[in-house]
Each structure stands twice: as C-alpha cells, then as structure tokens.
Amino acid sequence: MNGLNRLMMSGGLALALSTGAATLAPAAEDASGKGKDYRSFTAEGVSYGNIGDSYTADLVMYLAGNQFMVIEELIKDFQGKTPDIASIYVETIPPGQILNGQILKQGQIDGQDTAQNPDLYASVNLGHLKKLAAKGMMTDYKVYTHNRLELMVAKGNPKGIKGAEDLARDDLVQSHPNPQTEGIMKFYGSAMLKDMGLWDKLTGGKDCKGCWAVQDKVWFTERHHRDTPQRIEDGKADVGIVWTTEVQEAKAEGRAVDGVEIAAPLNQQDKVSYAIGMLNTGRNPDAAAKFLDYLATDAAQEIYASYGFVPATKDELTLKPIPK
C-alpha cells in the first residue's frame, strides 16, 4: 500500500533512546518485523539483516527508529532520482542506542560488527547531534519532519477512552514505552505524564524495560511500536502511548487497534522534531549530501506526511550549524 492510499485511509496527517549497550537487537527477520530494522536497498530489491553492508554500501544511514514505516517508499523514490547510488543501507532503531552503542563505540548486531561511521545519523533529540558536534564528528543539521503523541486502544475503543486524562483511571491496563531505551518516553511521554501529575502513579518508581512498572497495571515495553499493538490485540493491555504515525501504520496493516488523539500541548507536537546530520567520518559525503537535499523536496515531505508525520518548514529544511 503506497503512502497516498495510507493517507486517504487514515484521514490526513496525524524514537527512542538507549544509554548504550553494545550488543543490539537481532537482525534476523521474523514475524514481529525485527529484520526490517536493518535494510539494504539495491536495484534488485530490498534485503534484511545484512549488517556487513554498513561497511560497503554507497550510502549508509542510521535513523531514528520510529520512521520505520516510511523507509521503503522513501528510499525507492530516492533511488529512482539518484541511480548512481547503487546500494543503500538503512538502520531504524532507537537513536540513543545507535549513538552510544554503535557510533561512539564498536557495536554488534546479532554477533556481527556494525560500522561506526554511517554517512547520516538522525534522532528525535538534538542533544545527540550536539554530542557528535562537540567531538568534531558532525557540523550541520536540519529538521526534516515532526510527530506527536497519541493513545493506541483496541478497535472500537471498548473502554471508552477519551484522552490522556483517562490514563489516571484505575480500571485500565496500560502498555507504555520504557524510559530506558525509548526516546518517546524519555523525552516526550514522561514530560506529558509529569505535566499531568501522573508520572509517579504510572511508573511506580520503576526504571526498567520488558517489565511491570506497576504490577498488572502498567507494562514498560521492549520496543513499543511492536509490543503495544500486540499486547492490545492479545487483550493484555487497554491503552498505550505511541506516536500518531504508529496508529496510522497499524491501522493500514489491518491491526485491530484504533487511536485516541491527545490534545495539544500535551501531545508534544511543538517539541517533537527529527534532526539529521552528516558525519564527518562517513565514507560517502556526496551521496549523503544528495539525500539531505532530497529530504527538502516536496516528494520526500509528501511521503512523510502520507504516513502521518507533520511536514517541516522551509527554514527547518535548510542546513544550519548545530548549536552549542
């Protein structure tokens, strides 16, 4: 299903952090979609889990994970416009995990070394790019799209959830991104819950992942865009904080879920920005520059918008020095 059809179905526009374990998620493709975190694009098509391509591809990009649904359509469109770039390797996992576990030190995926010098790196936290700039590894950046928080619920919303305020209800079992490796919670979900006075109630003082934060009431996920839809479909959860784009993607896939909007400013729509920059250590600066230019085109912005992202402004799409 292409982006336009997704947009028409969903009715318009609608990442994650780690402190840096060096061994990352398995690359093998399976029913949960994990293999799609590591994709190689050539004229022959798309392959999964070929980690060695991070050392050899004509363009290597490590991108904030929660744009995973956009990548195939985006890269195929870019390939059609730049046939001289024969191979592209794209990784979409939590950006803090990439920064601390792959760029700032040698990382491994499924026992395979992964390159420390991608051509491009993107995060939902400009602070990650500032850290690279402070080390002389990155100079310029641009913001290329935005997102916002939404609640995912079971299809038909059987619990009658109306908004973020309902997260205070004691009759709901909740599934939320963990605060250790999921930037959506560390930077944005936590801010919302603290503003609402719900942080302590919903975390129970726990700082963990793949665990009950509050026993039998609030689950902290391993990877929320995979865990939360499944837990809701399995009847193990009633509601979870996700990105708007993840609700749209799940519905486009026919998952038995719906979304409940979170009113601004609680949805963090004025704060969630995806920033990208070229690493000075990358092997393919010319290809990286072409992709940065491509992100500012109407075609790229329309693809992101069709998956529920909020377009960047012309000024945001202009490269500028990373602030100190």
Side-chain angles (χ1 to χ4, degrees):
M1 179 181 296
N2 64 32
L4 178 59
N5 286 338
R6 291 172 183 271
L7 180 60
M8 292 173 67
M9 283 182 62
S10 300
L13 295 182
L15 298 177
L17 177 72
S18 168
T19 53
T23 300
L24 306 177
E29 187 175 16
D30 59 24
S32 68
K34 290 182 180 180
K36 290 189 176 181
D37 291 337
Y38 315 98
R39 283 177 274 190
S40 300
F41 296 81
T42 65
E44 286 70 43
V46 186
S47 59
Y48 304 96
N50 297 322
I51 309 306
D53 291 347
S54 65
Y55 290 95
T56 61
D58 296 329
L59 176 60
V60 178
M61 298 187 282
Y62 294 174
L63 307 178
N66 288 302
Q67 55 199 304
F68 69 93
M69 71 287 288
V70 179
I71 295 303
E72 188 160 337
E73 185 174 352
L74 188 78
I75 297 303
K76 287 182 177 179
D77 185 65
F78 176 65
Q79 283 180 307
K81 295 174 169 65
T82 55
D84 56 311
I85 303 176
S87 59
I88 301 173
Y89 177 83
V90 183
E91 183 175 295
T92 48
I93 66 171
Q97 189 171 334
I98 293 169
L99 175 68
N100 296 304
Q102 289 181 264
I103 296 177
L104 297 181
K105 66 179 179 181
Q106 180 64 59
Q108 287 194 332
I109 298 166
D110 229 10
Q112 304 175 68
D113 282 357
T114 184
Q116 288 185 254
N117 61 334
D119 300 304
L120 292 167
Y121 167 70
S123 177
V124 292
N125 177 15
L126 184 58
H128 290 157
L129 278 65
K130 289 180 178 180
K131 182 178 284 191
L132 291 172
K135 293 179 176 294
M137 299 172 67
M138 187 178 284
T139 305
D140 300 320
Y141 83 106
K142 66 171 62 175
V143 169
Y144 60 98
T145 197
H146 301 275
N147 214 333
R148 56 194 176 211
L149 301 178
E150 188 164 332
L151 298 179
M152 182 177 284
V153 300
K155 188 173 183 179
N157 193 9
K159 295 288 186 175
I161 296 166
K162 298 177 181 178
E165 293 77 10
D166 282 342
L167 296 178
R169 286 167 49 180
D170 293 328
D171 64 319
L172 300 178
V173 179
Q174 305 183 32
S175 173
H176 297 313
N178 76 74
Q180 289 189 338
T181 64
E182 302 271 20
I184 179 176
M185 179 59 85
K186 186 172 182 67
F187 302 118
Y188 304 111
S190 61
M192 179 185 80
L193 295 176
K194 288 172 183 177
D195 287 345
M196 299 175 67
L198 293 178
W199 178 251
D200 291 339
K201 176 183 174 74
L202 296 184
T203 64
K206 292 286 185 65
D207 181 16
C208 60
K209 63 178 181 177
C211 65
W212 286 109
V214 178
Q215 187 64 39
D216 299 327
K217 286 295 184 181
V218 181
W219 178 263
F220 277 161
T221 62
E222 288 277 354
R223 192 73 62 86
H224 77 281
H225 63 254
R226 289 198 290 261
D227 298 7
T228 292
Q230 194 64 55
R231 293 184 71 83
I232 289 173
E233 287 183 318
D234 291 345
K236 295 179 179 179
D238 300 311
V239 62
I241 297 170
V242 297
W243 296 116
T244 287
T245 49
E246 288 158 1
V247 173
Q248 181 165 318
E249 173 69 7
K251 292 177 69 174
E253 291 178 346
R255 306 292 296 266
V257 300
D258 273 323
V260 174
E261 291 187 3
I262 297 173
L266 287 176
N267 64 12
Q268 309 293 302
Q269 66 181 29
D270 296 327
K271 299 178 181 178
V272 182
S273 298
Y274 290 67
I276 190 168
M278 184 190 308
L279 270 79
N280 299 332
T281 54
R283 294 182 297 104
N284 307 295
D286 291 342
K290 288 181 180 179
F291 189 77
L292 288 177
D293 288 342
Y294 167 73
L295 285 175
T297 65
D298 289 345
Q301 289 296 298
E302 287 168 4
I303 289 171
Y304 270 100
S306 73
Y307 288 82
F309 289 87
V310 179
T313 66
K314 183 176 180 180
D315 177 66
E316 288 173 328
L317 289 166
T318 301
L319 275 175
K320 51 184 68 69
I322 296 172
K324 295 182 179 180

